[in-house]
Amino acid sequence: MKKIHLKLGVLTLVTAGLIGTVSCSSDDHNYLTKVDIEIPGPEGPEEPSEGAEKATIKVEIVSVEEESVTFKLATTHAEKVHYLIEKKGVEVTVDQVKEQGVVVEDATAEQVAEGLEPEQEYVLYALAINKEDVITFDAKGVSFTTKKALDISLIISDVDATHERVIFTITPTGAVKMRYMVVEKSAMEGREMTAEEVMEEGFSIIKVDGPSTLKPKVTKPNTEYIIYVAGISASDTHLIVQEEVKTKDESEAPVDEELKVMTQMNFVGDEVGHTVAYDLYMSNDQWDVQFVVAAAQADEDILKEGRYIRNASQGLGRPGADEVGKSFQIKNKQTGDLDTDIDYGEIRIAKTSATAYKVEVDMVRKTDVTKRFKAVFEGVPVKGYPRP
């Protein structure tokens, strides 16, 4: 309501439909006074009274994905907050936001809106209402564009660790090439790893058409690591995903089985494409053990020193350079039983003199990663297949 002020003579009487006039002598005075009359104003929301602060609201976009957006709201003096997301170019009114929008339960938390379309321009409108139902609304809104739909997906799962290894499964969709890195978390403070870095510096993941379980060795127990996996699709789209893991304490180290000391070793080398594959035959009174390792730029007749790795995800067939082949044999000669419970590990070959070697086998079990198959040969290996 608005107030207007009229000046009226004290001897003038205003009545409904009747005006009366009273004559006065020349000694009388016409005094003026103010009378407040309230008349109705135009309809609409009232301005807040002096005791009610007007609400404020600010929207900050945190991140945008293919089908979702994450944003923050900063408000003051707001009793209620609503938001509405519409495609760019669609006219939106304050009434639509209030009636059709999402009612925010906790304006201090990050908000996530899902169900959007990839590669689409949107505008986010938000309003705040103070305790007297006065609305604050920015009709321009905040614009954003969702990401292009990716033709590649990478999922890291089943993350675990021992005191010296991290263990994880990677499940790709649409990848034509993948690599991974495991980096100490402390080394990544203040920076972000990129897909390009992993694809350039990481280790290859051979299998791209299904899940692979990897168990790479790390250097420190009781330490936080970040697993990075990057992949490239057929359209050259790059993607990187990550998970964190902490290695166990040394007190939780695997319990090794009894070390099997081998008394004889034979080897045979076979060169194909500048890579020599060595068949290693080790034996004693109880065991016959056979593994295959491969070395680049090597001599068929001379064992090449080095560390040869067997990965859980490695394919069958001839191993690549510095690898241990998937095919192996561990036979108990006394019982005739074959040991097939080998998942991953390594073989180390080192010279101890001009002709003598030390060959160490250290393999981790599939059924229990806390247990190992370990064997060692120290002596002069014999070139040629073992005698029948």
Side-chain angles (χ1 to χ4, degrees), residues 79-342:
E79 296 290 316
K80 298 176 185 177
V81 176
H82 301 237
Y83 75 84
L84 181 66
I85 298 175
E86 283 287 358
K87 291 181 180 178
K88 191 172 184 178
V90 176
E91 186 176 349
V92 173
T93 67
V94 64
D95 289 337
Q96 285 176 298
V97 179
K98 185 177 180 182
E99 295 169 9
Q100 302 171 18
V102 176
V103 178
V104 177
E105 298 294 334
D106 180 5
T108 63
E110 284 193 353
Q111 312 297 317
V112 180
E114 299 178 325
L116 306 179
E117 297 177 12
E119 210 170 0
Q120 178 68 52
E121 291 184 275
Y122 286 96
V123 181
L124 192 160
Y125 301 93
L127 62 80
I129 306 174
N130 76 352
K131 65 182 180 180
E132 291 192 347
D133 290 334
V134 176
I135 297 173
T136 300
F137 175 61
D138 180 3
K140 292 184 298 182
V142 178
S143 300
F144 65 91
T145 302
T146 48
K147 291 182 179 179
K148 180 180 179 180
L150 299 180
D151 56 354
I152 181 174
S153 169
L154 304 173
I155 300 174
I156 300 175
S157 61
D158 302 325
V159 178
D160 199 357
T162 68
H163 75 298
E164 63 177 2
R165 293 184 185 272
V166 299
I167 304 166
F168 64 96
T169 297
I170 179 68
T171 303
T173 301
V176 296
K177 185 183 292 186
M178 290 191 299
R179 287 180 178 268
Y180 75 91
M181 294 176 67
V182 179
V183 183
E184 285 187 41
K185 185 177 179 179
S186 60
M188 297 305 298
E189 290 182 3
R191 65 175 296 252
E192 292 289 332
M193 183 71 75
T194 66
E196 289 72 21
E197 284 181 275
V198 177
M199 293 305 301
E200 183 177 341
E201 302 174 16
F203 296 95
S204 293
I205 301 175
I206 305 300
K207 189 176 181 181
V208 296
D209 58 353
S212 297
T213 299
L214 305 176
K215 303 171 183 179
K217 193 168 185 177
V218 291
T219 57
K220 297 179 182 178
N222 197 29
T223 303
E224 292 181 316
Y225 285 88
I226 303 177
I227 303 164
Y228 296 100
V229 179
I232 302 176
S233 71
S235 66
D236 200 35
T237 298
H238 289 60
L239 178 65
I240 184 171
V241 294
Q242 67 184 68
E243 289 289 343
E244 295 186 11
V245 65
K246 185 175 181 179
T247 50
K248 292 181 171 59
D249 192 81
E250 283 186 311
S251 62
E252 302 176 75
V255 178
D256 293 335
E257 300 173 23
E258 182 182 355
L259 179 65
K260 297 168 177 59
V261 178
M262 301 298 167
T263 56
Q264 181 177 341
M265 189 179 99
N266 295 54
F267 75 94
V268 176
D270 176 31
E271 182 174 6
V272 175
H274 305 294
T275 299
V276 175
Y278 298 101
D279 283 281
L280 307 179
Y281 303 90
M282 293 180 281
S283 63
N284 61 18
D285 291 339
Q286 184 178 357
W287 298 96
D288 277 332
V289 176
Q290 179 184 353
F291 282 96
V292 181
V293 301
Q297 306 298 326
D299 189 326
E300 292 182 357
D301 297 331
I302 302 173
L303 275 178
K304 186 175 181 179
E305 296 179 275
R307 179 170 173 255
Y308 301 87
I309 304 298
R310 174 191 169 97
N311 291 317
S313 60
Q314 195 171 300
L316 294 170
R318 187 182 178 94
D322 302 319
E323 288 184 346
V324 179
K326 292 287 280 188
S327 299
F328 68 95
Q329 176 177 292
I330 300 173
K331 182 179 179 180
N332 187 323
K333 293 193 290 187
Q334 296 177 358
T335 64
D337 294 335
L338 292 175
D339 185 346
T340 60
D341 189 30
I342 297 296

Side-chain angles (χ1 to χ4, degrees), residues 13-32:
L13 302 177
V14 180
T15 61
L18 177 64
I19 301 176
T21 304
V22 179
S23 299
C24 300
S25 68
S26 59
D27 293 331
D28 292 332
H29 300 282
N30 290 329
Y31 293 100
L32 299 180

